[in-house]
Amino acid sequence: MAHDGFGAAMLEDLHGSRPRVEIIGNSRVVVENHRGIQEYDDGLLRVKCCGCEVRITGAGLTLAALSLDELAVTGRIVSVEYTTAG
């Protein structure tokens, strides 16, 4: 079938270790499948993920939720950057 590759990719996205970043307007970002916080203050949040880093910049940033694999940050979001190592 033509959709077998697509279905497998979707399942990997839903259950894999790759980060999933959801941006809600300019006031909330949710990062799933993270591996810890590298740096955090009211203007910057650097989140370690598998093979990459998610960097959120803004003003009045607050860590609204944190669990072992998901976090949410609120405030005035200016940018969300995804960088890979190497």
Side-chain angles (χ1 to χ4, degrees):
M1 279 182 118
H3 297 290
D4 284 340
F6 178 74
M10 288 292 290
L11 284 175
E12 182 180 343
D13 285 346
L14 292 174
H15 301 291
S17 62
R18 293 190 291 183
R20 181 174 186 267
V21 179
E22 181 178 4
I23 303 169
I24 304 158
N26 68 343
S27 62
R28 185 176 180 90
V29 176
V30 178
V31 180
E32 296 177 10
N33 297 325
H34 73 85
R35 297 215 170 151
I37 295 172
Q38 298 292 98
E39 183 178 352
Y40 169 56
D41 64 32
D42 67 343
L44 172 67
L45 177 65
R46 290 177 43 230
V47 183
K48 182 178 178 181
C49 297
C50 183
C52 71
E53 178 180 282
V54 176
R55 182 182 180 105
I56 302 163
T57 59
L61 300 182
T62 302
L63 196 56
L66 177 64
S67 70
L68 290 175
D69 64 346
E70 182 175 318
L71 63 82
V73 63
T74 58
R76 188 172 60 82
I77 308 298
V78 173
S79 70
V80 178
E81 183 179 2
Y82 176 90
T83 59
T84 56

